[in-house]
Amino acid sequence: MSDCMQVFAPLGLPDIQPGDDLAALLIQQLQSNQQPLQEGDIIVIAHKVVSKSEGAVVDINDVCASAEAIDLASQVNKDPRKVEVILRQSKKIIRAVRRPQQSEGVLIAEHRLGFICANAAVDQSNADNEHQLIYLPENPDRSAKLIADALAEAFGCRIGVVISDTFGRPWRLGQTNVAIGVAYVPALISMDGDCDAWGRPLKVTAPAFADELAAASGLLMAKEGKCPAIVFRGLSWESNPQASASDLLRPENEDLFK
Amino acid sequence: MSDCMQVFAPLGLPDIQPGDDLAALLIQQLQSNQQPLQEGDIIVIAHKVVSKSEGAVVDINDVCASAEAIDLASQVNKDPRKVEVILRQSKKIIRAVRRPQQSEGVLIAEHRLGFICANAAVDQSNADNEHQLIYLPENPDRSAKLIADALAEAFGCRIGVVISDTFGRPWRLGQTNVAIGVAYVPALISMDGDCDAWGRPLKVTAPAFADELAAASGLLMAKEGKCPAIVFRGLSWESNPQASASDLLRPENEDLFK
């Protein structure tokens, strides 16, 4: 474990458009800011800029709502076309909820990648216009690896990447960022077999390292959308080329709350 | 929002014993490390050292298990005296679970302070001996405020304090630190009414600031228990004397998953 870290937001990244080379833009910005990445740096990137660069966006006017979407939309007072996009991103809808005071309700979904989240992570915030819906990248681990490899080559050192989204939590108010894609950064750090300071086996055996990084990024990642990347420097971590954000998914048979 | 922060673990804090003045020991260690706190620093402290200093510990041999504890203990293969302490810390037990491969199961509890967590946060890790059980401080917000006020007076500047524990999550594997007590640091930052970078109302309206800090502290807080305090420097935040970790509790009628 390290005993200190520095965390900073590279400022000045331009708005990202479909087809943009996000890694190249990050490299260019870090270089022009004179903030070259260093050995072992980890960069947490908000999925929205990754999604935009990959074209994981849709104009709501181009969506045709199915009968299922129209039915579900009426239960929660959502635009049926938005519900259609949510359904396409979901394995299943776990709950449809609209509270009396809410104009628009929420669909708690199991995303096709396995994450449980509101509206299958389909969102309008920080879209380019009010008709645009942004969804998660097709394969966020792959996206993370492409960016990590490009950064590693540009700066000549080992770099980790976490792609984050902002999720609510069942029992706690407020949102935190969580990891939805990782490259090289271990999602969980298994401490099984380790002992506490008094030599007894630890009960807490797996810090969710990638989620800790994602949550920490929220301290600097302005929700207004202008700081989509946060660099962590000074952490010691073991590179894992097989790391995946799916390592953070609790198997359904272990889930006490379904 | 800031665009950078420094995070460090003051090393060399002695083992904490019941009756110790934790704030005084922190001040002494920060001064002898030549790491004086600065205006706006936030310190995240693992509850275990707060609990120990306040005597929120019990020797399991001094506990007499009730009939309810004995019955529940048999369902999950726990020591009935440990279950008795868990029951004393709980409003109610939500689920008792023991999986086939587990020697000892888990009690998901609503803690008397409202937090939903495993075993009502009663734990043996980092206790002084194998008979000792540690539980949450009686009033963690009050504990945080006493420490924050002592630090503020010693260093002559505004200091925030978060007291953390390590919780599992329903749908995600691995544990992260969460806030169970705060002083001056807002638990949630309401962004209701704010707009995204394109001028549209934000959907994400309340970052769980204290939980972001707690989770981030886990990146440096060695689980072996020797780095129980982490300092965050460089964040901009508005002091709130009324802040409480209970601000993070989702009201039962809003909980989609009970």
Side-chain angles (χ1 to χ4, degrees):
Chain A
M1 283 276 195
S2 320
D3 63 0
C4 70
M5 64 176 176
Q6 297 77 45
V7 189
F8 63 92
L11 301 179
L13 199 69
D15 294 339
I16 303 300
Q17 301 297 329
D20 279 349
D21 183 337
L22 178 59
L25 291 169
L26 276 169
I27 292 163
Q28 190 182 321
Q29 197 58 43
L30 287 161
Q31 282 171 338
S32 80
N33 290 356
Q34 302 193 308
Q35 297 175 312
L37 295 186
Q38 298 177 10
E39 174 69 21
D41 281 357
I42 296 172
I43 186 162
V44 179
I45 305 173
H47 91 84
K48 287 199 181 160
V49 292
V50 181
S51 293
K52 281 186 183 178
S53 73
E54 295 183 1
V57 296
V58 64
D59 188 308
I60 200 164
N61 296 312
D62 295 337
V63 177
C64 183
S66 62
E68 185 187 1
I70 292 167
D71 176 53
L72 206 46
S74 71
Q75 294 176 40
V76 287
N77 195 35
K78 278 186 180 301
D79 187 315
R81 299 166 300 175
K82 189 173 175 183
V83 173
E84 177 64 29
V85 178
I86 293 169
L87 286 173
R88 290 178 192 171
Q89 290 291 312
S90 301
K91 275 187 203 166
K92 63 180 172 198
I93 301 298
I94 296 178
R95 281 192 189 50
V97 188
R98 183 184 170 205
R99 300 205 185 85
Q101 73 277 23
Q102 281 183 317
S103 67
E104 184 178 329
V106 67
L107 298 172
I108 305 292
E110 180 175 352
H111 187 273
R112 61 181 168 76
L113 295 169
F115 308 113
I116 312 282
C117 58
N119 302 322
V122 173
D123 201 358
Q124 279 169 300
S125 300
N126 292 305
D128 285 337
N129 63 64
E130 60 187 316
H131 305 299
Q132 197 181 59
L133 298 173
I134 304 181
Y135 45 92
L136 292 191
E138 186 187 358
N139 180 337
D141 287 332
R142 185 181 62 203
S143 306
K145 194 162 249 177
L146 287 170
I147 295 168
D149 289 343
L151 294 171
E153 191 180 337
F155 295 104
C157 57
R158 184 177 64 109
I159 302 296
V161 169
V162 173
I163 298 177
S164 70
D165 194 9
T166 308
F167 282 10
R169 297 92 52 86
W171 298 318
R172 296 176 74 82
L173 288 177
Q175 298 90 25
T176 59
N177 288 347
V178 298
I180 58 104
V182 300
Y184 304 109
V185 177
L188 293 167
I189 297 180
S190 174
M191 302 184 81
D192 214 10
D194 286 7
C195 290
D196 69 14
W198 285 261
R200 285 187 309 282
L202 282 177
K203 293 282 175 181
V204 171
T205 53
F209 186 60
D211 279 343
E212 291 176 333
L213 286 158
S217 76
L219 294 166
L220 295 181
M221 197 182 273
K223 301 297 169 189
E224 294 81 2
K226 290 299 190 191
C227 291
I230 305 292
V231 178
F232 291 74
R233 179 164 296 163
L235 291 170
S236 55
W237 53 284
E238 279 180 40
S239 191
N240 177 4
Q242 272 75 51
S244 167
S246 66
D247 299 337
L248 290 161
L249 298 177
R250 192 176 283 280
E252 194 158 4
N253 64 358
E254 279 193 20
D255 195 334
L256 308 181
F257 307 97
K258 261 192 187 161
Chain B
M1 284 276 195
S2 320
D3 63 0
C4 69
M5 64 175 176
Q6 297 76 45
V7 189
F8 64 93
L11 301 179
L13 199 69
D15 296 338
I16 303 300
Q17 301 298 328
D20 280 349
D21 183 337
L22 178 58
L25 290 169
L26 277 169
I27 291 162
Q28 189 182 322
Q29 197 58 44
L30 288 160
Q31 282 170 337
S32 80
N33 290 355
Q34 303 193 308
Q35 296 175 312
L37 294 186
Q38 297 178 11
E39 174 69 22
D41 281 357
I42 297 173
I43 186 161
V44 179
I45 305 173
H47 89 84
K48 287 200 180 159
V49 292
V50 181
S51 293
K52 282 187 184 179
S53 74
E54 295 183 1
V57 296
V58 64
D59 188 307
I60 199 165
N61 295 312
D62 295 338
V63 178
C64 184
S66 62
E68 185 187 2
I70 292 168
D71 175 53
L72 206 46
S74 70
Q75 295 175 40
V76 288
N77 195 35
K78 277 186 181 302
D79 187 315
R81 299 167 298 175
K82 188 172 176 183
V83 173
E84 176 64 30
V85 178
I86 293 169
L87 286 173
R88 290 179 193 169
Q89 289 292 313
S90 301
K91 276 188 203 167
K92 63 180 171 196
I93 302 298
I94 296 177
R95 280 191 189 54
V97 187
R98 183 185 169 203
R99 299 204 186 88
Q101 72 278 21
Q102 281 183 316
S103 67
E104 183 177 331
V106 67
L107 298 173
I108 305 291
E110 181 176 354
H111 186 274
R112 62 181 168 75
L113 294 168
F115 308 113
I116 313 282
C117 59
N119 303 321
V122 174
D123 201 357
Q124 280 170 298
S125 301
N126 292 306
D128 284 337
N129 62 64
E130 61 187 317
H131 306 298
Q132 196 181 58
L133 298 174
I134 305 180
Y135 45 91
L136 293 191
E138 186 186 358
N139 181 336
D141 287 332
R142 185 182 63 203
S143 307
K145 194 162 249 176
L146 286 170
I147 296 168
D149 288 344
L151 294 171
E153 190 180 336
F155 295 105
C157 56
R158 185 177 64 110
I159 302 295
V161 169
V162 174
I163 297 177
S164 70
D165 193 10
T166 308
F167 282 10
R169 296 92 53 86
W171 298 317
R172 297 176 74 81
L173 288 176
Q175 298 90 28
T176 59
N177 288 347
V178 298
I180 58 103
V182 301
Y184 304 109
V185 177
L188 293 168
I189 297 179
S190 175
M191 303 184 80
D192 214 10
D194 285 7
C195 290
D196 69 14
W198 284 261
R200 284 187 311 282
L202 281 177
K203 293 283 176 179
V204 171
T205 52
F209 186 61
D211 279 344
E212 292 176 331
L213 287 159
S217 76
L219 294 166
L220 296 180
M221 197 183 274
K223 300 298 170 192
E224 294 83 1
K226 290 298 191 191
C227 291
I230 305 292
V231 178
F232 291 75
R233 179 164 296 161
L235 291 170
S236 56
W237 51 284
E238 278 180 42
S239 193
N240 176 3
Q242 272 75 51
S244 167
S246 66
D247 298 339
L248 290 162
L249 297 178
R250 192 176 282 280
E252 195 158 2
N253 64 358
E254 278 193 22
D255 195 335
L256 308 181
F257 306 99
K258 262 190 187 166

